[in-house]
Amino acid sequence: EKFIELLGLIQKYSVNTSHPYFFNQLFGSLDPIALAAEIVALSVNTSVYTYETAPVFSLIEREVMGQIGKLVFGPTSGKQISFESDDKFEGEGLMIPGGSLANLTAMHAARHRWKVMNGFIKQATEDTEQMLGTDWSTFGEEKKSDDVFPTTAKMQGEDTETGETLCDYIRSVPDLVAFVSSEAHYSFSKSARVLGLREDDLVIIPTHPDGRMNVHELSKRIEEIELESASHMDARIRVPFFVACTAGSTV
């Protein structure tokens, strides 16, 4: 009885999202179908790690991703969208609990793809293996000369023969630059900091009166950053890797 009373108090003093005067851009009144699905999910009490642990939920997730993919990108066959047809969207996706985490995941995936495409993931592994077998008494005497990107010490004109650190020894990744519109969600600022981007490497692009990103300004800023890095006008090497698009909402 005490527990039932406690649940009643929680409902009584919580915001009544089912009230006809309650308006919110993210959530609203209780959806009976969602409630039924939540009860089933809680009763099964599993996690969708693999097909073996959650076969039904894995199939549901794949179906939902396919339908969303068709809605956003269209079927891979190029035909007109029809949810009743057998046309499938060939792709992958993630179930994300909110827009902020979606933005963080997008930036992380873009950075990872850039590193893989430019050979930094493999190089990091090779550097780590080499360092594990390094004779630290002679550390710094042998240097790699074929680095695509110089180390931080080289970029700043420092003497790399003395006072070396572990960070100087590893081929440094250039500073990656992300671009978002002035109407973008504030979570991009948080995501950039979580990923370790510098404050000035999240570039804000102005928008038109209707909220669209000014692509002319975007192209101009990308070219400026590329020219600065190519001419070494900046002590840092900066490389564009991510452009966030806002589609009818804040995320």
Side-chain angles (χ1 to χ4, degrees):
E1 291 184 4
K2 291 291 185 180
F3 183 67
I4 299 298
E5 181 182 356
L6 177 61
L7 295 179
L9 290 174
I10 292 174
Q11 289 184 307
K12 179 179 179 180
Y13 292 105
S14 295
V15 176
N16 183 9
T17 59
S18 297
H19 195 280
Y21 290 156
F22 177 83
F23 296 99
N24 186 281
Q25 76 274 23
L26 299 178
F27 59 91
S29 60
L30 174 66
D31 186 341
I33 296 178
L35 175 61
E38 186 74 15
I39 292 174
V40 173
L42 290 173
S43 65
V44 176
N45 194 30
T46 187
S47 296
V48 192
Y49 299 139
T50 62
Y51 179 84
E52 286 75 17
T53 58
V56 178
F57 290 144
S58 295
L59 294 176
I60 292 175
E61 183 179 52
R62 181 174 298 180
E63 178 65 21
V64 171
M65 285 300 174
Q67 295 293 355
I68 294 176
K70 288 169 61 177
L71 179 64
V72 176
F73 301 103
T76 52
S77 62
K79 299 179 181 178
Q80 187 176 0
I81 297 176
S82 175
F83 293 109
E84 287 74 23
S85 67
D86 294 331
D87 294 327
K88 295 183 179 181
F89 172 77
E90 299 295 336
E92 297 179 351
L94 292 173
M95 292 290 188
I96 302 296
S100 295
L101 187 56
N103 290 336
L104 172 61
T105 303
M107 292 186 73
H108 173 72
R111 184 180 67 172
H112 180 77
R113 181 181 184 277
W114 186 93
K115 289 183 176 181
V116 171
M117 296 295 291
N118 290 276
F120 279 88
I121 298 297
K122 180 179 180 181
Q123 182 67 36
T125 303
E126 293 174 350
D127 285 345
T128 302
E129 292 175 352
Q130 183 172 347
M131 284 185 296
L132 290 176
T134 297
D135 181 2
W136 296 104
S137 63
T138 60
F139 182 60
E141 293 182 0
E142 296 182 1
K143 297 288 292 184
K144 292 182 179 180
S145 59
D146 57 347
D147 286 344
V148 177
F149 295 96
T151 62
T152 303
K154 286 183 179 179
M155 289 160 50
Q156 296 175 350
E158 298 175 5
D159 183 4
T160 57
E161 297 300 325
T162 59
E164 290 210 51
T165 65
L166 188 61
C167 293
D168 292 330
Y169 184 69
I170 302 174
R171 183 183 66 166
S172 48
V173 177
D175 292 333
L176 301 182
V177 183
F179 302 84
V180 299
S181 79
S182 57
E183 296 295 324
H185 196 253
Y186 61 84
S187 61
F188 279 113
S189 298
K190 297 189 296 182
S191 299
R193 283 156 179 75
V194 169
L195 293 176
L197 271 65
R198 295 180 182 235
E199 186 174 354
D200 60 340
D201 285 339
L202 181 67
V203 180
I204 308 300
I205 304 298
T207 58
H208 294 291
D210 60 359
R212 291 181 296 115
M213 178 187 287
N214 188 327
V215 293
H216 175 73
E217 288 295 325
L218 171 65
S219 178
K220 180 180 177 182
R221 290 295 293 124
I222 292 177
E223 290 179 2
E224 289 175 351
I225 290 174
E226 289 178 339
L227 286 174
E228 289 174 1
S229 297
S231 60
H232 298 287
M233 294 175 59
D234 194 344
R236 297 184 287 139
I237 294 181
R238 306 172 72 201
V239 179
F241 83 106
F242 177 84
V243 177
C245 300
T246 303
S249 67
T250 55
V251 293

